Amino acid sequence: MKILLTNDDGIFAPGIQRLCQELEQKHEVVVVAPDRERSATGHAITIHHPLRAKEMTFTDINSKCIAIDGTPADCVKIAIESLLDQKPDVVISGINAGPNMGYDVLYSGTVSAAVEGLLLGIPAIAVSLVTDEKWEFAYAAEFVLRLLEEHQKEEFPEDVILNVNVPVDCSGGHKITKLGNRSYKNTFEQRIDPRGERYYWLAGEAVEEGNSPDTDVSTVKEGFVSITPVKFSLTADSEIERLKKWNL
């Protein structure tokens, strides 16, 4: 299987490197990832300056690795449309350092990279490690390899990605979930720079309230891997007929 591997933490991040080491044991992997961290860039693409691609080598990785000075979505787009000789069989984005659950998927560069693969006709999986301090990616990488074997057996819908969140202290099981409620209580801290100009730092904390047991948020708290099929068809079909009746 040909795999395009990307992320939003950058090509030097331990998560993508550990996942590459695991996948390349059984599959053909090409890494095309940002040259630096691009977290929370969502589905942004670069249109106002050229993209540069630089081939990289890493001691413990045998796969071809290319760093792009763009966003995660840029990486998938340029890889599939320009850099690769053949389309990959699957796009995998991760392993992200931190969760991507609930409303996170709207901001996440990790999830957006997977979605870009989907837009280009390639099945895609986004993978994140749910922790903020214990960065151990081995189990998550092994789980992705097992998941990929099952994924190969299925004919997935063309508009669905799998969003996977792996708790760092996983009990060994997994559950199929829906997106939960995970938003942010944001604050902007105002500061003054040395030239007397005002600037702001965005800060805040995650708010996880009102989650039923079948959500990704609740599942990872129980120590299970969460696998959520995510669909990005945004049309509110239920409102179409009502809007047609408006007298405009």
Side-chain angles (χ1 to χ4, degrees):
M1 174 177 274
K2 293 180 174 62
I3 299 172
L4 171 60
L5 183 57
T6 191
N7 71 349
D8 73 354
D9 289 328
I11 199 166
F12 297 99
I16 194 172
Q17 296 203 4
R18 181 64 185 84
L19 182 54
C20 183
Q21 292 166 358
E22 190 72 28
L23 295 175
E24 69 182 8
Q25 296 180 44
K26 293 187 176 181
H27 302 282
E28 180 183 339
V29 181
V30 177
V31 178
V32 182
D35 60 358
R36 57 192 183 277
E37 184 177 350
R38 294 284 190 162
S39 297
T41 54
H43 208 111
I45 57 174
T46 301
I47 61 173
H48 295 297
H49 64 78
L51 293 173
R52 301 186 185 278
K54 181 179 180 181
E55 192 159 343
M56 311 289 291
T57 57
F58 297 98
T59 303
D60 299 324
I61 291 177
N62 298 319
S63 301
K64 185 176 184 179
C65 298
I66 302 173
I68 305 294
D69 64 339
T71 67
D74 284 331
C75 292
V76 176
K77 186 181 288 291
I78 195 172
I80 293 174
E81 296 185 341
S82 182
L83 299 178
L84 302 184
D85 296 330
Q86 292 181 311
K87 281 190 175 183
D89 297 305
V90 63
V91 173
I92 301 180
S93 182
I95 301 168
N96 187 67
N100 279 303
M101 303 181 295
Y103 298 132
D104 284 346
V105 300
L106 300 176
Y107 303 106
S108 168
T110 302
V111 175
S112 293
V115 173
E116 183 62 33
L118 208 65
L119 294 178
L120 296 171
I122 312 296
I125 301 171
V127 189
S128 302
L129 187 69
V130 184
T131 184
D132 56 8
E133 56 181 0
K134 190 177 178 182
W135 305 113
E136 297 179 1
F137 295 94
Y139 178 80
E142 293 165 5
F143 184 85
V144 173
L145 187 60
R146 297 200 304 273
L147 175 66
L148 194 58
E149 292 174 357
E150 291 299 313
H151 191 278
Q152 286 180 265
K153 302 174 184 177
E154 298 290 336
E155 192 71 30
F156 263 79
E158 295 181 354
D159 58 348
V160 174
I161 70 165
L162 295 184
N163 186 43
V164 181
N165 282 274
V166 183
V168 70
D169 294 317
C170 183
S171 63
H174 73 275
K175 292 183 179 181
I176 308 304
T177 62
K178 62 183 182 181
L179 293 177
N181 295 317
R182 190 173 199 270
S183 56
Y184 291 87
K185 182 179 180 181
N186 292 323
T187 58
F188 285 89
E189 182 177 336
Q190 179 179 308
R191 299 180 184 180
I192 304 296
D193 69 19
R195 297 188 178 187
E197 298 291 335
R198 184 185 297 114
Y199 68 97
Y200 298 87
W201 271 111
L202 174 62
E205 58 184 18
V207 179
E208 300 174 349
E209 297 176 345
N211 284 288
S212 58
D214 58 350
T215 61
D216 50 5
V217 176
S218 295
T219 292
V220 298
K221 286 182 177 179
E222 295 172 1
F224 294 95
V225 176
S226 165
I227 304 174
T228 309
V230 178
K231 188 174 183 178
F232 281 87
S233 175
L234 301 179
T235 303
D237 295 317
S238 61
E239 300 301 312
I240 288 178
E241 293 304 317
R242 185 163 71 93
L243 288 170
K244 286 180 178 179
K245 298 176 183 177
W246 285 18
N247 185 24
L248 300 174

